[in-house]
Amino acid sequence: MTDRDRLTEHVLQGLTRPQKALSSAWFYDDEGSRLFQQIMALPEYYLTRLEHELLRSRADELSRWIDPRCSPIDLIELGSGDGAKTLSLCQALAQREVDCIYRPMDVSAHALADLSRRFDTYLPRMAIEPVLGDYFEHWPQIAEGRRQVAMLLGSNLGNLDEHGAVKLLQRVHSHLRPGDLVLLGLDLVKDPAMLRAAYDDSQGVTAAFNLNLLTRLNRELGMDFDLTKFRHYASYCPLEHVARSFLVSQVDQVVHSKTLDRGFVFHAGETIYTEQSQKYSMASIEHLARRSGFDNTCTLTDARGWYAITVWHRLPFTPSQQTSI
């Protein structure tokens, strides 16, 4: 199935539900990727800065948690982007003379090209084997005697609810061997006002990022969304510890698709649910690890406790044998 076929099926299913929904996975066309680069530089969007700071300032400590004996490892980054956030960790591993193969995996050829140039410049001796495509369809074959370290950074796991996060982590678990590791970047629970502002910045870049999804559907599925008739809305629920983003129809309207040969009715005030971002406590991190078949070995946070990088060991039994807490 092509990406266009998958998008067509996704839109048909998502816009015919009682609560209309579209996945944030479709945000990242060229314009969406450009807008997200702007978001990461916004004063309200602290996540990227804190994660990069942790990876730089605690790189040596992380490398020792990952590989205390300097044994051969394969560093598999799921959704690597341009590799900027991982460079410090790879440099720390190289300084300790760890036999490391870095396997960045991403759906963007442009991002992997940028990554290759970055590593050629700053870490030319690092063995790199980029993988273009979905990570579960292209998981690399790892030689015996080498440990795997699967990394999912950027708080990307938070885009899934608990059921979806456990399902994804169990799929990762199935590709690992006992003693292999997972390294996660997770945003932590904090002031609700600060969290809401991160997804609704004062310059309107996040709004443009959300609305760009409709522009993509217009271009790729022949739809006729009028962006002036939709508005970005972001919320944060302190009870569930989750930020959510929506597109809100401002009027009664029908949006048509030439590709699907049908229309979709929107009432004034009706929403399309486009993104969620789960925030974690230390207790919920432990809970998620156990449900997914991992042991939470180490959790590092910034000085204010706003963001965490956590290292989990794969346990020698399947997630289904775990007991939920």
Side-chain angles (χ1 to χ4, degrees):
M1 183 181 289
T2 66
D3 282 348
R4 182 186 169 110
D5 290 338
R6 282 191 284 269
L7 178 59
T8 301
E9 182 177 319
H10 178 73
V11 169
L12 182 59
Q13 292 179 357
L15 296 187
T16 53
R17 295 174 183 169
Q19 169 59 68
K20 293 179 171 65
L22 295 170
S23 171
S24 58
W26 297 103
F27 280 160
Y28 299 95
D29 61 357
D30 288 345
E31 177 64 7
S33 296
R34 185 189 69 79
L35 287 166
F36 189 66
Q37 291 295 318
Q38 291 185 30
I39 288 170
M40 289 190 294
L42 292 168
E44 296 97 331
Y45 197 80
Y46 59 87
L47 291 84
T48 303
R49 287 189 297 278
L50 289 183
E51 184 172 75
H52 284 209
E53 176 188 315
L54 269 173
L55 287 167
R56 283 193 302 268
S57 64
R58 311 289 287 275
D60 185 65
E61 186 178 353
L62 275 171
S63 75
R64 293 177 189 278
W65 277 107
I66 287 171
D67 197 13
R69 300 179 187 86
C70 292
S71 55
I73 63 170
D74 284 51
L75 199 63
I76 303 168
E77 184 168 9
L78 314 180
S80 63
D82 64 7
K85 57 184 176 289
T86 316
L87 182 61
S88 297
L89 178 59
C90 288
Q91 288 173 325
L93 291 166
Q95 287 169 5
R96 296 179 58 231
E97 299 184 349
V98 174
D99 176 4
C100 177
I101 300 173
Y102 176 40
R103 300 180 184 272
M105 308 178 76
D106 205 278
V107 295
S108 169
H110 178 74
L112 290 177
D114 284 348
L115 181 149
S116 295
R117 285 191 290 269
R118 175 172 280 106
F119 274 71
D120 283 345
T121 300
Y122 296 105
L123 202 54
R125 295 185 180 180
M126 173 69 73
I128 304 178
E129 297 185 11
V131 179
L132 178 65
D134 179 88
Y135 21 90
F136 292 122
E137 293 179 7
H138 301 88
W139 197 278
Q141 294 293 317
I142 307 300
E144 290 295 326
R146 301 186 67 89
R147 294 167 67 236
Q148 298 178 88
V149 180
M151 302 195 304
L152 187 61
L153 298 172
S155 195
N156 288 331
L157 188 69
N159 292 142
L160 303 171
D161 61 17
E162 184 176 347
H163 174 78
V166 169
K167 185 176 179 181
L168 183 146
L169 289 166
Q170 288 180 350
R171 291 186 72 186
V172 172
H173 185 284
S174 71
H175 288 280
L176 303 181
R177 299 181 286 240
D180 287 346
L181 303 177
V182 167
L183 187 141
L184 299 169
L186 301 173
D187 196 19
L188 300 178
V189 173
K190 59 184 69 65
D191 184 342
M194 181 181 179
L195 285 164
R196 188 178 181 279
Y199 299 93
D200 194 13
D201 65 279
S202 59
Q203 298 178 47
V205 182
T206 312
F209 178 64
N210 201 5
L211 286 162
N212 181 65
L213 177 57
L214 303 185
T215 301
R216 179 176 188 176
L217 299 186
N218 285 350
R219 181 180 66 251
E220 298 189 21
L221 298 185
M223 302 189 78
D224 59 359
F225 281 104
D226 181 346
L227 272 61
T228 66
K229 295 180 180 178
F230 286 85
R231 181 175 58 83
H232 167 71
Y233 175 73
S235 67
Y236 177 72
C237 177
L239 299 177
E240 299 173 284
H241 306 310
V242 62
R244 294 184 175 94
S245 294
F246 301 85
L247 292 167
V248 186
S249 178
Q250 300 299 285
V251 297
D252 291 336
Q253 58 183 309
V254 179
V255 176
H256 299 89
S257 167
K258 292 180 181 178
T259 299
L260 293 167
D261 191 28
R262 62 162 295 161
F264 299 93
V265 175
F266 290 84
H267 300 293
E270 189 174 3
T271 61
I272 308 173
Y273 182 22
T274 55
E275 186 179 29
Q276 85 139 41
S277 184
Q278 186 69 47
K279 310 304 171 185
Y280 299 91
S281 65
M282 293 303 169
S284 64
I285 290 172
E286 291 283 352
H287 173 74
L288 190 61
R290 292 186 191 184
R291 285 201 62 195
S292 307
F294 294 92
D295 175 53
N296 181 20
T297 306
C298 161
T299 299
L300 305 179
T301 72
D302 64 286
R304 291 169 292 191
W306 287 357
Y307 198 88
I309 293 177
T310 184
V311 179
W312 296 355
H313 274 82
R314 182 202 191 273
L315 294 170
F317 37 81
T318 63
S320 62
Q321 293 173 279
Q322 295 289 298
T323 301
S324 297
I325 62 174

